Coordinates of all heavy atoms in Angstrom, one line a residue:
V292 N 233.4 -44.3 -28.0 CA 234.4 -45.0 -28.9 C 234.4 -44.4 -30.2 O 233.5 -44.5 -31.0 CB 234.1 -46.5 -29.0 CG1 235.2 -47.2 -29.8 CG2 234.0 -47.1 -27.6
A294 N 235.4 -43.8 -34.2 CA 235.4 -44.8 -35.3 C 236.9 -45.2 -35.5 O 237.1 -46.4 -35.9 CB 234.9 -44.1 -36.6
L297 N 237.6 -48.3 -33.5 CA 236.9 -49.5 -34.0 C 237.8 -50.1 -35.1 O 237.9 -51.3 -35.2 CB 235.5 -49.1 -34.6 CG 234.5 -48.7 -33.5 CD1 233.2 -48.3 -34.3 CD2 234.2 -49.7 -32.5
V298 N 238.4 -49.2 -36.0 CA 239.2 -49.8 -37.1 C 240.5 -50.3 -36.5 O 240.9 -51.4 -36.8 CB 239.5 -48.6 -38.1 CG1 240.5 -49.1 -39.1 CG2 238.2 -48.2 -38.8
M301 N 240.6 -53.9 -35.0 CA 240.2 -55.0 -35.8 C 241.4 -55.9 -35.9 O 241.9 -56.1 -37.0 CB 239.6 -54.6 -37.1 CG 238.2 -53.9 -37.0 SD 237.3 -53.9 -38.5 CE 236.8 -55.6 -38.6
T399 N 234.6 -59.7 -34.7 CA 233.4 -60.5 -34.7 C 232.4 -59.9 -35.6 O 232.5 -58.8 -36.1 CB 232.7 -60.4 -33.3 OG1 232.3 -59.1 -33.0 CG2 233.7 -60.9 -32.2
F400 N 231.3 -60.7 -35.9 CA 230.3 -60.2 -36.8 C 229.7 -58.9 -36.3 O 229.4 -58.0 -37.1 CB 229.2 -61.3 -37.0 CG 228.1 -60.9 -37.9 CD1 228.2 -61.1 -39.3 CD2 226.9 -60.4 -37.4 CE1 227.2 -60.7 -40.1 CE2 225.9 -60.1 -38.2 CZ 226.0 -60.2 -39.6
V401 N 229.4 -58.8 -35.0 CA 228.8 -57.7 -34.4 C 229.8 -56.5 -34.5 O 229.3 -55.3 -34.9 CB 228.5 -57.9 -32.9 CG1 228.1 -56.6 -32.2 CG2 227.4 -58.9 -32.7
E402 N 231.1 -56.7 -34.4 CA 232.0 -55.6 -34.5 C 232.1 -55.1 -36.0 O 232.2 -53.9 -36.2 CB 233.4 -56.0 -34.1 CG 233.5 -56.2 -32.5 CD 234.8 -56.8 -32.1 OE1 235.3 -57.7 -32.8 OE2 235.3 -56.5 -31.0
L403 N 231.9 -56.0 -36.9 CA 231.9 -55.6 -38.3 C 230.7 -54.7 -38.6 O 230.8 -53.7 -39.3 CB 231.9 -56.8 -39.2 CG 231.9 -56.5 -40.7 CD1 233.1 -55.8 -41.2 CD2 231.8 -57.8 -41.5
T404 N 229.5 -55.1 -38.2 CA 228.3 -54.3 -38.4 C 228.4 -53.0 -37.7 O 227.9 -52.0 -38.2 CB 227.0 -55.1 -38.0 OG1 227.1 -55.5 -36.7 CG2 226.8 -56.3 -38.9
N405 N 229.0 -53.0 -36.5 CA 229.2 -51.7 -35.8 C 230.1 -50.8 -36.5 O 229.9 -49.6 -36.5 CB 229.8 -52.0 -34.4 CG 228.8 -52.6 -33.4 OD1 227.6 -52.5 -33.6 ND2 229.3 -53.3 -32.4
L406 N 231.1 -51.4 -37.2 CA 232.0 -50.5 -38.0 C 231.3 -49.9 -39.1 O 231.5 -48.7 -39.4 CB 233.2 -51.4 -38.5 CG 234.2 -50.7 -39.3 CD1 235.0 -49.7 -38.5 CD2 235.2 -51.7 -40.0
V407 N 230.4 -50.6 -39.8 CA 229.6 -50.0 -40.9 C 228.7 -48.9 -40.3 O 228.6 -47.8 -40.9 CB 228.7 -51.1 -41.5 CG1 227.9 -50.5 -42.6 CG2 229.6 -52.2 -42.1
G408 N 228.2 -49.1 -39.1 CA 227.3 -48.1 -38.5 C 228.1 -46.8 -38.2 O 227.6 -45.7 -38.3
A409 N 229.4 -47.0 -37.8 CA 230.2 -45.8 -37.5 C 230.8 -45.1 -38.7 O 230.8 -43.9 -38.7 CB 231.4 -46.3 -36.6
L410 N 231.2 -45.9 -39.7 CA 231.9 -45.3 -40.9 C 230.9 -45.0 -42.0 O 231.2 -44.1 -42.8 CB 233.0 -46.2 -41.4 CG 234.2 -46.5 -40.4 CD1 235.2 -47.3 -41.2 CD2 234.8 -45.2 -40.0
G411 N 229.8 -45.7 -42.1 CA 229.0 -45.7 -43.3 C 229.4 -46.8 -44.2 O 230.6 -47.3 -44.2
T415 N 233.3 -47.9 -45.2 CA 233.8 -49.2 -44.8 C 234.4 -50.0 -46.0 O 235.4 -50.7 -45.8 CB 232.6 -50.0 -44.2 OG1 232.1 -49.3 -43.1 CG2 233.1 -51.4 -43.7
D437 N 220.6 -57.0 -41.4 CA 222.0 -57.5 -41.4 C 222.3 -58.4 -42.6 O 223.4 -58.4 -43.2 CB 222.3 -58.3 -40.1 CG 222.5 -57.4 -38.9 OD1 222.7 -56.2 -39.1 OD2 222.5 -57.9 -37.8
L440 N 222.8 -56.1 -45.6 CA 224.0 -55.3 -45.4 C 225.3 -56.1 -45.6 O 226.2 -55.7 -46.4 CB 224.0 -54.7 -44.0 CG 225.2 -53.9 -43.5 CD1 225.4 -52.7 -44.3 CD2 225.2 -53.6 -42.0
V441 N 225.4 -57.2 -44.9 CA 226.6 -58.0 -45.0 C 226.8 -58.6 -46.4 O 227.9 -58.7 -46.9 CB 226.6 -59.1 -43.9 CG1 227.8 -60.0 -44.0 CG2 226.6 -58.4 -42.5
H540 N 225.7 -48.7 -26.3 CA 225.7 -49.5 -27.6 C 226.6 -50.7 -27.5 O 227.7 -50.5 -26.9 CB 226.1 -48.5 -28.7 CG 225.8 -49.1 -30.1 ND1 226.7 -50.0 -30.7 CD2 224.7 -49.0 -30.9 CE1 226.2 -50.4 -31.8 NE2 225.0 -49.8 -32.0
P541 N 226.2 -51.8 -28.0 CA 227.1 -53.0 -28.0 C 228.5 -52.8 -28.5 O 229.4 -53.5 -28.1 CB 226.3 -54.0 -28.8 CG 224.9 -53.7 -28.6 CD 224.9 -52.2 -28.6
S542 N 228.7 -51.8 -29.4 CA 230.0 -51.6 -30.0 C 230.9 -51.0 -28.9 O 232.2 -51.0 -29.1 CB 229.9 -50.6 -31.1 OG 229.5 -49.3 -30.7
R543 N 230.4 -50.6 -27.8 CA 231.2 -50.0 -26.7 C 231.4 -50.9 -25.5 O 232.0 -50.6 -24.5 CB 230.5 -48.7 -26.2 CG 230.3 -47.7 -27.3 CD 229.4 -46.5 -26.7 NE 229.1 -45.6 -27.8 CZ 228.2 -44.6 -27.7 NH1 227.5 -44.5 -26.5 NH2 228.0 -43.8 -28.7
Y544 N 230.9 -52.2 -25.6 CA 231.1 -53.1 -24.5 C 232.5 -53.4 -24.2 O 232.9 -53.7 -23.1 CB 230.3 -54.4 -24.8 CG 228.8 -54.2 -24.7 CD1 228.2 -53.0 -24.4 CD2 227.9 -55.4 -24.8 CE1 226.8 -52.9 -24.3 CE2 226.5 -55.2 -24.7 CZ 226.0 -54.0 -24.5 OH 224.6 -53.9 -24.4
G545 N 233.3 -53.5 -25.3 CA 234.7 -53.7 -25.1 C 235.4 -52.6 -24.3 O 236.1 -52.8 -23.3
V573 N 226.8 -60.5 -26.0 CA 227.9 -59.6 -26.5 C 228.9 -59.3 -25.4 O 230.1 -59.3 -25.6 CB 227.3 -58.3 -27.2 CG1 228.5 -57.4 -27.6 CG2 226.4 -58.6 -28.3
R577 N 233.0 -60.1 -25.2 CA 234.1 -59.2 -25.0 C 234.9 -59.6 -23.7 O 236.1 -59.4 -23.7 CB 233.5 -57.8 -24.8 CG 232.7 -57.2 -26.0 CD 233.5 -56.9 -27.2 NE 233.8 -58.1 -27.9 CZ 233.0 -58.8 -28.7 NH1 231.7 -58.3 -28.9 NH2 233.3 -59.8 -29.4

Side-chain angles (χ1 to χ4, degrees):
V292 182
L297 295 177
V298 175
M301 292 199 73
T399 65
F400 181 83
V401 171
E402 289 170 327
L403 180 62
T404 55
N405 288 339
L406 183 65
V407 178
L410 297 182
T415 302
D437 280 348
L440 173 68
V441 175
H540 192 275
S542 66
R543 302 172 185 168
Y544 287 4
V573 177
R577 299 292 79 77

